[in-house]
Amino acid sequence: MDVGAGLRLVENAVVSESFVDQKANALAGAVYDGAGLLVTESRRPDFGVWTYRDEARIVPAAGGERMAQGLFLGHFFSHFGHFLTETLPQLIYAVEHDLPLIWHPWPHTGAVEHVVRIPHVRFMLDAFGVADERIRFCGPSVSVDTLFLAPRFIPSEGRRSALPLRKVFERVVRHARMAGSPAAERVYFSRRRFAGRARLVENEQDVEQEFASRGFSIVYPETLGIGEQVAIAAAATDIAGIDGSALHLAACMKPKGRCFVVTTRGKHSGIGGWNELCDIDTIWLDHAKTWSEQGSLHASIDIGKLSASLDERVPSVG
């Protein structure tokens, strides 16, 4: 079989058990070659905060599960934002190579039969034609006679990826065309009605009104299907919102679209780097006062400063 561009062939490989300690920012779980040596590029990027706990060398155990062949794609996330930025891009290799797909499940992802029912996961798997039976979550270590290792995608600022991210999202957009959502050139994705948010912007309704006065349609993503969200993003030239997972849908826009980020955490590589890779312009609107309350981050946006920043780029209408 042709290894294909970017793939690494590892014979008599072992995919070790995944371990994640989110409190200590420590993780383990990687690919080892036939000599028991760690294949370092199989690990999740450390993003400057994670500590690896992988052994440099292992002695493959006798017995245990064995597969004839497989394609290792890294970590599988159910969380919307991490799924879009880390799991979804790897699916392009699932299209190009018809092999069992081996993943390390991130904590709380759940079993395969459950995670594939999550709406955004189901939509994306269907977009790439990935059948459920191809997905294999690696719990205990598994031996693989012929393993193909895909490059890990790194959605960080200033780090270019060989993976054609535009190609990934063109496929996603084509799959969403059936949604038939009304098109708007300017869209504000609101977090105000999202009950599970860890960050609360106490005056987001005022922020919405400021953007609405400049011709932005206000969209509440949790009230829409993922196909509708993608279709809305694909039709927009300007997307705005509080920094969060929904803004990663800016990748569905055409190149040179604008993403207005009302940030509560300052400029950060999560969104900035992602947009850079997607050829989307990021406009940072850093006018938040933040504080912690009962374990959650609260913020209030200075509407006067926000309005002044927007005057330079988006005039009011009417």
Side-chain angles (χ1 to χ4, degrees):
M1 177 181 177
D2 181 13
V3 173
L7 295 187
R8 174 174 174 176
L9 174 62
V10 184
E11 300 281 9
N12 301 313
V14 173
V15 182
S16 66
E17 185 171 2
S18 177
F19 163 82
V20 179
D21 184 341
Q22 291 176 288
K23 290 184 178 180
N25 282 345
L27 76 165
V31 171
Y32 290 81
D33 65 18
L37 297 175
L38 173 67
V39 181
T40 56
E41 62 264 37
S42 68
R43 300 185 296 189
R44 184 178 186 239
D46 64 15
F47 298 108
V49 298
W50 290 93
T51 300
Y52 295 122
R53 297 276 181 86
D54 301 292
E55 300 289 341
R57 187 167 191 167
I58 63 170
V59 177
E65 184 177 358
R66 178 172 292 276
M67 298 174 63
Q69 58 182 4
L71 174 61
F72 181 70
L73 296 178
H75 281 89
F76 198 108
F77 291 84
S78 58
H79 177 276
F80 183 71
H82 284 288
F83 179 87
L84 285 186
T85 57
E86 294 191 55
T87 302
L88 173 62
Q90 303 298 102
L91 290 179
I92 197 70
Y93 298 107
V95 174
E96 298 174 352
H97 306 280
D98 188 17
L99 292 164
L101 309 176
I102 303 173
W103 304 82
H104 276 141
W106 197 253
H108 312 300
T109 295
V112 172
E113 58 266 29
H114 298 301
V115 74
V116 296
R117 298 175 186 170
I118 298 173
H120 63 266
V121 174
R122 179 76 272 154
F123 177 87
M124 298 302 180
L125 291 177
D126 290 345
F128 286 83
V130 175
D132 298 355
E133 54 267 23
R134 290 182 64 193
I135 301 173
R136 166 72 168 82
F137 283 175
C138 180
S141 296
V142 57
S143 300
V144 187
D145 296 336
T146 302
L147 181 72
F148 296 88
L149 176 63
R152 296 292 292 258
F153 179 67
I154 305 174
S156 301
E157 191 165 22
R159 303 171 76 174
R160 288 285 174 181
S161 170
L163 186 147
L165 197 60
R166 179 61 57 185
K167 181 178 177 182
V168 171
F169 277 92
E170 285 175 352
R171 190 179 185 102
V172 170
V173 170
R174 285 197 303 270
H175 189 60
R177 293 299 185 191
M178 66 187 73
S181 298
E185 290 189 353
R186 294 175 177 170
V187 176
Y188 179 90
F189 283 115
S190 175
R191 296 172 61 90
R192 187 160 58 93
R193 297 182 183 177
F194 178 43
R197 56 190 170 172
R199 285 171 287 124
L200 175 65
V201 175
E202 299 200 340
N203 63 336
E204 186 167 13
Q205 187 169 3
D206 296 332
V207 177
E208 291 176 13
Q209 291 174 355
E210 182 63 37
F211 276 94
S213 73
R214 299 170 188 274
F216 282 75
S217 296
I218 310 303
V219 172
Y220 302 97
E222 64 277 2
T223 67
L224 303 171
I226 181 61
E228 294 175 286
Q229 296 178 46
V230 169
I232 288 171
T237 58
D238 293 332
I239 286 178
I242 306 297
D243 50 354
S245 297
L247 291 186
H248 289 117
L249 290 173
C252 301
M253 302 169 71
K254 293 179 181 178
K256 301 305 180 184
R258 297 190 299 179
C259 181
F260 293 80
V261 185
V262 182
T263 181
T264 59
R265 297 174 289 175
K267 297 180 181 180
H268 54 90
S269 62
I271 293 175
W274 177 254
N275 286 343
E276 178 189 354
L277 291 169
C278 299
D279 201 17
I280 300 299
D281 294 332
T282 304
I283 298 167
W284 297 99
L285 301 167
D286 189 6
H287 306 302
K289 175 184 177 182
T290 62
W291 65 95
S292 181
E293 185 176 313
Q294 297 181 340
S296 297
L297 177 67
H298 288 241
S300 178
I301 308 301
D302 187 318
I303 301 300
K305 291 182 178 179
L306 174 64
S307 181
S309 293
L310 289 174
D311 281 342
E312 302 173 5
R313 302 172 177 91
V314 188
S316 297
V317 296

